[in-house]
Amino acid sequence: MAFCMSFFISFILVSINFGYGNTFLLTWLKIWSQAFICAFFGASFFPRIIQQIMSKFNFVEKSQINENAFLERTKQ
C-alpha cells in the first residue's frame, strides 16, 4: 500500500509542480524514494498508535458486556 500510494501521489505532485521537462524522471524518482520511506514508516507505525488511542474508547465492547449481562439476568 505504501509503495502504490507514494508512487502515485509523488508522480502527480511532481507533474503539477515541475512539469514534464528533461529532469522530470530524475526529480520524480528522487522524490518518490523519499516519499516511499515516509509512507512505509507511516503505514507501519501510525496504525499501532491509532489503535492504542482508540482502545481507550471501547464503544462496542462495553455495549456487548452490558448486553451479555442483561441476557444472563433474564435467563435466571
Side-chain angles (χ1 to χ4, degrees):
M1 186 58 124
F3 178 84
C4 293
M5 290 300 293
S6 63
F7 187 85
F8 178 71
I9 291 172
S10 65
F11 180 82
I12 297 300
L13 290 176
V14 170
S15 300
I16 292 170
N17 291 324
F18 297 105
Y20 299 104
N22 294 335
T23 60
F24 172 77
L25 186 60
L26 292 175
T27 304
W28 174 52
L29 289 175
K30 179 182 175 186
I31 291 175
W32 172 73
S33 64
Q34 296 168 356
F36 175 71
I37 292 169
C38 294
F40 179 77
F41 285 113
S44 299
F45 295 113
F46 284 140
R48 292 181 185 143
I49 293 169
I50 293 170
Q51 186 177 22
Q52 288 176 353
I53 292 169
M54 292 306 293
S55 68
K56 296 178 183 178
F57 305 105
N58 292 326
F59 299 111
V60 176
E61 290 181 18
K62 286 184 181 179
S63 64
Q64 286 178 345
I65 291 170
N66 292 335
E67 184 177 333
N68 289 339
F70 176 74
L71 291 174
E72 287 178 15
R73 279 186 265 146
T74 57
K75 288 180 183 178
Q76 295 175 354

